[in-house]
Amino acid sequence: MNKFSAAKAAGTRTVDEITGSRRLRRMRKASWSRRLVQENRLTVDDLIWPIFVVEGTNVRQPIQAMPGVFRLSVDLAAREAERAARLGIPAIATFPNVERSLRDQTGSAILDPDNLINRATRAIKAAAPDIGVITDAALDPFTSHGHDGILRDGVIVNDETVEQVTAAAVLQAAAGADIIAPSDMMDGRIGAIRDALDANGFQDVAIMSYATKFHSAFYGPYREAIGTAGLLQGDKKTYYLDHANSDEAVREAEQDLAEGADMVMVKPGLPYLDIIRRLKDEFAMPTFAYQVSGEYAMIEAAAANGWIDGERAMLESLLAFKRAGCDGILTYFAPRVAELLKG
């Protein structure tokens, strides 16, 4: 008598008896069957590519903390937009690195119709008219103190900031932005921007709300990229969300949707998959995540040291967003992923 027969004779149940013949591995046995039952898929249509722009011509500056990511002058940004369009990437999100001489306490240069971000928008739309352009109306790239709003006596003043962010959003729409994505987290900004866009003939310009932007340690490389590293006075805890809070994130998203947001974003991404799922389940609205600079840098650093398979980790991390409920992902990996998917 073999061990299996002896165990059965002793009263031990067989696997089929234990599982009721429900063997869940059946559909994992082959590539064709795994593909047949795969629940989520990552496609190029899920990708938004964040890029950084700087002054000058033919400028391509590497960002030390983000290997493979560059600050681009407007002419090169337009050329990269053409490449993104060829790859099928639906949209680009632009972020400026503004010269220090143009930064002040109120971020007033954001109100210049010909500032860096607006010139980049016009150039991208001229080069690739069918690609979506997403712009941020927050003040931090334009302030001398690195905050997203106007600083008065050590306090970020909400209503004055909203007024300026709103004016900037109208200018960005006039330059050709398709989506305004204000990341400043001021109360009332979404409703004020919607009213102003509509009043100025930009009813078709959408708003992507950074509804749940958390006070996070994962933004460091981004601040190097836009030139605010070392500028920040204090922290952003009075307006970014506490990363311990989930119910508050739901209330923020609910408020922004009530004010007229067309879609919501969760930022950062992977540490907040639970928030993505909650928002999607609660509101059934277009939901996005920003795979932020720190997330990108961790994957790149681990891959460079041979600790992980960088390509597999990249794709797995993006599929996790889809599984959590995302309709799209802002990711610095976008062109690389688009090439892989196309290939």
Side-chain angles (χ1 to χ4, degrees):
M1 183 181 292
N2 61 35
K3 291 181 180 180
F4 177 78
S5 298
K8 188 171 182 181
T12 303
R13 293 183 297 167
T14 66
V15 169
D16 281 329
E17 289 170 334
I18 290 169
T19 66
S21 295
R22 292 186 293 271
R23 290 181 176 256
L24 300 181
R25 289 183 57 195
R26 287 186 185 118
M27 296 308 292
R28 304 178 202 154
K29 67 182 181 181
S31 173
W32 68 263
S33 59
R34 291 192 297 272
R35 287 186 287 119
L36 193 65
V37 299
Q38 184 175 329
E39 297 174 28
N40 295 284
R41 282 180 169 79
L42 178 71
T43 76
V44 69
D45 296 333
D46 299 314
L47 304 175
I48 297 170
W49 184 16
I51 64 171
F52 300 103
V53 292
V54 291
E55 296 286 359
T57 303
N58 199 32
V59 176
R60 188 179 180 88
Q61 299 173 346
I63 300 168
Q64 184 177 3
M66 300 176 70
V69 178
F70 302 86
R71 301 182 197 91
L72 304 169
S73 53
V74 169
D75 58 318
L76 295 190
R79 194 178 306 168
E80 289 293 80
E82 291 178 304
R83 178 165 76 102
R86 288 195 299 272
L87 288 170
I89 294 172
I92 284 178
T94 55
F95 299 94
N97 184 313
V98 178
E99 293 180 351
R100 293 288 178 95
S101 62
L102 297 176
R103 304 184 191 203
D104 58 25
Q105 283 290 106
T106 64
S108 61
I110 201 170
L111 300 179
D112 181 354
D114 202 37
N115 64 25
L116 179 59
I117 200 70
N118 293 331
R119 280 185 281 118
T121 297
R122 288 193 289 268
I124 289 169
K125 294 303 285 187
D130 292 331
I131 202 164
V133 175
I134 303 171
T135 58
D136 185 357
L139 305 184
D140 51 321
F142 296 89
T143 60
S144 56
H145 44 73
H147 278 287
D148 297 35
I150 295 171
L151 188 65
R152 299 276 189 215
D153 300 320
V155 176
I156 300 300
V157 291
N158 189 93
D159 297 12
E160 190 176 345
T161 297
V162 168
E163 184 178 349
Q164 186 151 307
V165 165
T166 299
V170 173
L171 292 172
Q172 291 173 4
D178 301 288
I179 298 175
I180 306 297
S183 68
D184 53 285
M185 289 296 289
M186 297 295 118
D187 289 337
R189 74 201 188 286
I190 300 300
I193 290 172
R194 184 72 272 159
D195 289 349
L197 290 174
D198 293 351
N200 285 276
F202 299 115
Q203 293 92 342
D204 291 335
V205 173
I207 298 176
M208 176 187 285
S209 167
Y210 282 66
T212 57
K213 185 177 183 181
F214 289 86
H215 186 263
S216 172
F218 289 93
Y219 301 140
Y222 170 87
R223 289 172 183 162
E224 177 195 333
I226 66 167
T228 61
L231 289 180
L232 185 62
Q233 300 171 18
D235 58 46
K236 303 189 178 189
K237 291 180 179 178
T238 66
Y239 49 104
Y240 286 6
L241 285 174
D242 186 331
H243 52 254
N245 294 352
S246 176
D247 291 343
E248 185 181 16
V250 173
R251 292 195 298 272
E252 282 282 357
E254 182 179 36
Q255 179 66 32
D256 286 0
L257 289 169
E259 291 179 15
D262 300 283
M263 58 205 91
V264 294
M265 183 207 296
V266 177
K267 182 180 180 181
L270 281 179
Y272 299 90
L273 294 180
D274 61 315
I275 306 298
I276 296 168
R277 186 72 264 165
R278 282 198 69 179
L279 298 191
K280 192 65 175 178
D281 289 345
E282 184 80 20
F283 303 112
M285 288 291 289
T287 303
F288 296 80
Y290 198 140
Q291 185 179 48
V292 299
S293 58
E295 298 173 69
Y296 174 90
M298 287 193 300
I299 293 174
E300 286 295 288
N305 280 281
W307 298 332
I308 62 172
D309 182 323
E311 184 175 297
R312 287 180 59 198
M314 169 183 72
L315 293 172
E316 183 179 338
S317 68
L318 295 174
L319 192 58
F321 291 118
K322 293 292 294 179
R323 189 184 67 245
C326 274
D327 298 284
I329 309 117
L330 288 84
T331 177
Y332 303 101
F333 289 121
R336 198 184 316 175
V337 173
E339 287 171 352
L340 281 171
L341 293 173
K342 191 173 184 179

